[in-house]
Amino acid sequence: MEALKAEIAVKRKTVEAVSSRPNKYMRRGDIERLKEEEERRARGTKEHTTKSVTPFQESRVSESPRPESSFNISNEETVRRLRAKGQPIRLFGESDKDRRLRLRALELLEEKDHERQSGQNDFKKALEDVENVERELRNKNKEKRREVGVIDLDLVKTDPDKLYPLIYYALKRTLKEWEESMDERPEHVKRSTQGKMAAAIQVQSAEYLKPLFKTLRSRSLPSDMLVRIAEIVHYMQKRQYQKANDSYLRLSIGNAPWPIGVTMVGIHERSAREKISTDQVAHVLNDEVSRKYIQSLKRLLTFSQTKYPPDDVSQLMG
């Protein structure tokens, strides 16, 4: 009997040794049993830690998720930011912590509004700003044009030297407005054949007018031409384009019987000799430079009539 018990004990030890060896494969039931044991062990550990927390620690843990913990700034900085936003620096019965929380809430609201209006709206706002700036510049230019007085033709007899800067800045202003009107055209108009020709004419006129501007700066323009150009600018400012066109014709082709400048028609005196004078000659035939800037004056006159039409239709030039 004792031999049988000893044999059973040996067999039991052998079985336990074999079962204790590491196995490469595990049963599904063993895996589930191990997971349940781990969950039970973790649950017991968590219950043990919650029981060990004091009431004071519980209050600190409950207060930790507040946003004030991540928004810790000084009172001076809080006051500065609230004043920058136009908000009261302290409400009735408000503590420093509540004041910081109120500032944080205001900043979060501003961030959400900014995110809501970002993206394409920013580009749209930039375009609107550019349009507003351009509109203000155009209004300022119009106001400047209104503020500039009309050239007084009496200065031709009293003080001709004052006419030079007045004519210079009036023509410069009109030329600048012509250039701006070319830039304000739509893109498809600029790319068309007529649009390109109009831009080329504007650039050519600006180039042709440079000798005239140089002569005005040096105050070396002939007196008869000064009178005619002053009349053109004067009537152009008053929107009397028919009279301005008449002054242009007297400047360009003159009203003499011989426009090329013939002042001696024979060796004998004649009764109509005094009608032939040098101020009636055609300055457009003097040289090529004069012809170019006198023709450019006509172009400026045409542009001014297009942009600033007269109130009276009879003042339109043909």
Side-chain angles (χ1 to χ4, degrees):
M1 191 65 183
E2 293 179 356
L4 184 59
K5 290 181 179 180
E7 186 66 22
I8 292 171
V10 171
K11 293 289 184 181
R12 187 178 295 162
K13 291 180 179 179
T14 305
V15 171
E16 290 179 356
V18 171
S19 60
S20 62
R21 292 177 182 175
N23 192 4
K24 184 177 180 180
Y25 304 99
M26 295 182 67
R27 297 178 181 176
R28 184 178 295 275
D30 296 339
I31 294 174
E32 293 178 356
R33 188 177 64 256
L34 290 174
K35 287 183 178 179
E36 291 177 358
E37 291 179 356
E38 289 178 358
E39 291 177 358
R40 196 181 302 111
R41 195 179 302 111
R43 196 180 301 112
T45 306
K46 187 176 181 180
E47 291 177 357
H48 177 71
T49 53
T50 53
K51 290 179 181 180
S52 62
V53 174
T54 60
F56 178 72
Q57 291 176 343
E58 288 181 357
S59 62
R60 291 184 60 183
V61 170
S62 62
E63 292 176 357
S64 60
R66 289 187 179 181
E68 193 269 336
S69 59
S70 60
F71 191 70
N72 189 12
I73 59 176
S74 62
N75 292 331
E76 292 79 5
E77 181 67 17
T78 305
V79 171
R80 187 187 67 80
R81 293 189 186 182
L82 286 173
R83 284 178 175 169
K85 297 179 183 301
Q87 298 291 331
I89 60 174
R90 188 183 295 276
L91 300 177
F92 181 76
E94 188 180 36
S95 62
D96 294 341
K97 185 185 297 184
D98 296 336
R99 182 169 60 179
R100 287 194 292 269
L101 290 176
R102 179 163 60 89
L103 174 61
R104 182 57 176 167
L106 291 172
E107 291 182 349
L108 290 176
L109 288 176
E110 290 180 357
E111 290 177 1
K112 289 181 179 179
D113 293 339
H114 179 70
E115 291 176 358
R116 192 180 300 114
Q117 298 176 356
S118 60
Q120 188 177 359
N121 290 336
D122 291 340
F123 182 70
K124 184 178 179 182
K125 185 175 181 300
L127 289 178
E128 291 177 355
D129 293 340
V130 171
E131 292 177 357
N132 293 332
V133 170
E134 291 180 352
R135 193 179 301 109
E136 290 177 358
L137 289 176
R138 287 196 294 269
N139 294 333
K140 288 181 179 179
N141 291 333
K142 290 181 180 179
E143 291 176 358
K144 288 181 180 178
R145 181 181 176 89
R146 297 191 192 101
E147 291 174 358
V148 174
V150 181
I151 292 178
D152 188 7
L153 294 180
D154 293 335
L155 293 174
V156 176
K157 298 179 180 178
T158 58
D159 193 358
D161 290 338
K162 289 185 178 180
L163 285 175
Y164 288 101
L166 295 177
I167 295 173
Y168 177 83
Y169 289 114
L171 294 178
K172 276 284 188 180
R173 192 180 307 109
T174 307
L175 188 63
K176 184 66 176 178
E177 290 177 355
W178 191 7
E179 182 181 358
E180 290 175 355
S181 67
M182 291 290 105
D183 295 336
E184 292 173 359
R185 295 176 302 169
E187 195 65 28
H188 68 278
V189 176
K190 292 181 181 179
R191 294 181 179 180
S192 63
T193 305
Q194 294 180 354
K196 291 180 180 178
M197 288 180 63
I201 289 174
Q202 190 274 327
V203 174
Q204 186 186 51
S205 301
E207 189 68 25
Y208 285 171
L209 284 170
K210 286 182 179 179
L212 177 61
F213 291 144
K214 184 178 180 181
T215 309
L216 290 172
R217 285 195 302 268
S218 62
R219 300 173 187 265
S220 59
L221 195 66
S223 60
D224 54 340
M225 293 186 68
L226 179 65
V227 173
R228 298 293 173 244
I229 294 176
E231 289 177 354
I232 293 174
V233 176
H234 171 76
Y235 292 127
M236 183 173 66
Q237 290 176 340
K238 295 183 69 175
R239 301 187 183 183
Q240 297 177 358
Y241 300 107
Q242 187 66 40
K243 295 182 179 179
N245 189 43
D246 294 341
S247 299
Y248 162 74
L249 291 176
R250 286 196 296 271
L251 174 66
S252 58
I253 62 175
N255 57 359
W258 296 275
I260 60 174
V262 177
T263 58
M264 292 297 294
V265 294
I267 60 175
H268 302 289
E269 291 289 339
R270 294 180 182 270
S271 60
R273 173 74 181 278
E274 64 273 4
K275 294 182 180 179
I276 305 175
S277 57
T278 57
D279 61 344
Q280 295 174 338
V281 299
H283 296 284
V284 74
L285 300 176
N286 285 351
D287 58 342
E288 191 68 15
V289 177
S290 301
R291 182 192 67 81
K292 288 180 179 180
Y293 67 67
I294 290 175
Q295 182 183 6
S296 300
L297 283 177
K298 172 66 173 177
R299 291 174 179 174
L300 284 181
L301 194 60
T302 305
F303 163 75
S304 182
Q305 179 180 259
T306 305
K307 188 170 184 179
Y308 303 103
D311 298 331
D312 188 4
V313 184
S314 62
Q315 293 297 327
L316 287 171
M317 60 182 180

